[in-house]
Amino acid sequence: MVTLEPEPVLEYGRKKESVVQKKRSKNTLIFLVLTLVGAILLLLSIHTLETLNYQFRSSLHSASTPPHLFQKHSYCVHLGQEPSPKEAQEEQNLLDSIAWPEPPPRHNPIPLQETSDPAHSKFTILPAEDWREWRVGDQLKALVNMHDFQGRIKSHGGDFLLAKLHSPELGAGVAGQVLDHRNGTYSAVFTLLWEGPARVEVTLVHPSEAVAVLLRLREQRPDRIFFKSLYRSGLLSETTTCNLCLPDNQQPVCNHTDSRTGDPWYCYKPKLLGCDKRIDHATGGYHRDLLTNTEAGLFQSNVNIKVPIRASGSDMIIVQPEKKDKAEVESNRVRAEPVRVIPSGYYFQGSWRSLGGLAMRQFNDSSAITQCLKDKVMYLYGDSTIRQWFEYLNAILSEMKEFNLHSPNKIGPFMAVDSTHNILLRYRCHGPPIRYSTAIASEMHYVANELDGLAGGADTVVVISVWAHFSTYPMKVYIRRMRQIRRAVVHLLDRAPGTLVVIRSTNLQALDPEVSLNNSDWFSLQLDTVLRAMFRGLDVLLLDAWEMTLAHQSPHDLHPPPPIVRNMIDAVLSYVCPEKI
Ligand SMILES: *[C@@H]1O[C@H](CO)[C@@H](O)[C@H](O)[C@H]1NC(C)=O
Ligand SMILES: *[C@@H]1O[C@H](CO)[C@@H](O)[C@H](O)[C@H]1NC(C)=O
Ligand SMILES: *[C@@H]1O[C@H](CO)[C@@H](O)[C@H](O)[C@H]1NC(C)=O
Ligand SMILES: *[C@@H]1O[C@H](CO)[C@@H](O)[C@H](O)[C@H]1NC(C)=O
């Protein structure tokens, strides 16, 4: 299990505080001196007092919540709204649908040598049926055999693999579907969609043993990223630790749970100030005491985080043109165990082509986008992966002017206007647990409440991207958040049926050992599966950011590069403004 240092090592967001932290040995002395002159300082400087209070607060925090409590106590006793029986049933079904095969139980921690090693593992492209040529429309299968560091065959499943088929020279790429046979072998299945060369790429994102660690962290260590809020009244200010749930250790808390959505949020109560004096919201820091040494071995860059698996034999095939006999091609396009429809589209010559019946248009110049968005309002809600759209559109649209709302950098809210064409573009981040430097508490709005305040209609486009800040919490937290958003979407579509609502899925990102523990693609995949299931059957457009980042040739990035953002926006605009026939 987890080894814990005597005191949790915290990293604070702001420089000022990390200096405070390092000088902890001098803290007592400084504290005494400051207390003596405190009365004078109270009159002279709010700033100094703030620091003092923060120190007081943080030493109190570590004194009163010894590290072992972080583990023993279930953090999320209060997960907000109690679900109705029907909601509880849905919750259970969703959790069942994302159940991940765990390594077989054993008494001792598994030695690293016995865990999955991409360098010793291989994949093999299986020959086409009857050994004939590959044709467009066929299905290609590769068999992946996982081995451990000693070269021995793995006998259980649960490794997190990604597969894609691509052709850099053609600007082409498509996501593959990975099937876990639960015996150390996996199939990667691809649909052949273009003529010419196609290369198979299989990547081990995490060995199964690392996924088991991530699963444990997600359900048991929701404190691994925590937050803080400043409370202030007149000259008095205090900063305390906040989170979606706080350990039940008798310390008084402020309950900042949203009264309308029931989304939970708590801060420790300031010593002197009332709970209504909360001013801001910020990331407080990280816990680093998460892994044993053995577990740390499971998260090594270039060893077992996102490492490609080599092919035995060739990793490339040449695809011939489609056979004219359509019927035969169709019969080949049978998908095994379609957990979801893969692929939802593919790249060709750098442009995304949807397979879901959406005729893609390219809006590569400012005037084409302007024409499409004329007389429209576009609301972007969520995390930074949707703020990117605001930045992209604001930059590319020549007549769009950003309205200065004096919002903090990166946080927003943001608004841009093209008054000639009557276009309004707005961005607002989702509510806590958003991880930001320092945001104003009164600007922390929940997406569901925002949607409840929209008139909607045929001239309204709403894009929602809520995922990246939820990977440190138990899955139920996300399900409950999305349930509120879904309820608001359903109401919006009821009262204003012409409204276009787009749900942007999760995407892949660059992973190192630290990012893996907070934000691994494995967490994102689980969130994504739940997200799709929850919005299935509603009249919304699902934007498959997952496949659009997997199939693209650029390296994974939490904030996908402009060519991908352009394709995403093209997809939405193609829906808003279909090709006139
Ligand atoms: C693993 O399971 C698959 C599917 O059931 C089977 O085809 C394959 O032979 C098995 N491989 C091993 C090594 O047992
Ligand atoms: C916080 O307030 C909400 C209602 O606003 C309530 O449902 C919840 O039980 C409260 N939490 C605690 C720990 O009292
Ligand atoms: C993840 O957590 C580590 C501490 O374990 C921290 O240093 C790092 O900045 C965090 N990264 C992200 C992207 O949150
Ligand atoms: C997009 O730009 C390319 C050149 O960059 C051009 O050939 C193409 O016609 C443009 N398409 C549209 C729809 O404007």
Side-chain angles (χ1 to χ4, degrees), residues 100 160-163 174-176 205 306 340 342 344 347 352 467 503-509 511 519-529 531-532 542-552 556 560 564 568:
W100 195 270
F160 177 22
L161 301 173
L162 289 177
V174 64
V205 185
K306 268 202 189 171
R340 50 182 243 205
I342 298 177
S344 65
Y347 287 103
W352 184 251
W467 60 277
I503 308 291
R504 182 202 184 280
S505 80
T506 75
N507 62 253
L508 295 157
Q509 59 185 294
L511 296 182
N519 275 5
S520 166
D521 288 340
W522 182 78
F523 297 128
S524 307
L525 175 64
Q526 295 246 299
L527 296 173
D528 198 68
T529 310
L531 178 73
R532 289 165 196 260
L542 188 111
L543 187 91
D544 199 336
W546 182 270
E547 283 192 25
M548 290 181 84
T549 49
L550 173 54
H552 202 266
H556 300 167
I564 297 181
M568 289 176 175

Side-chain angles (χ1 to χ4, degrees), residues 4 23 49 88 96 112 117-118 154 216 231 252 264 305 315 323 339 401 431 439 455 511 534:
L4 291 156
K23 291 183 181 165
L49 190 75
D96 292 346
L112 186 64
D117 174 18
K154 296 284 292 190
R216 191 200 74 219
Y231 292 75
I305 299 178
D315 63 355
K323 255 244 179 79
V339 184
K401 298 276 177 294
L511 296 182
M534 289 185 75

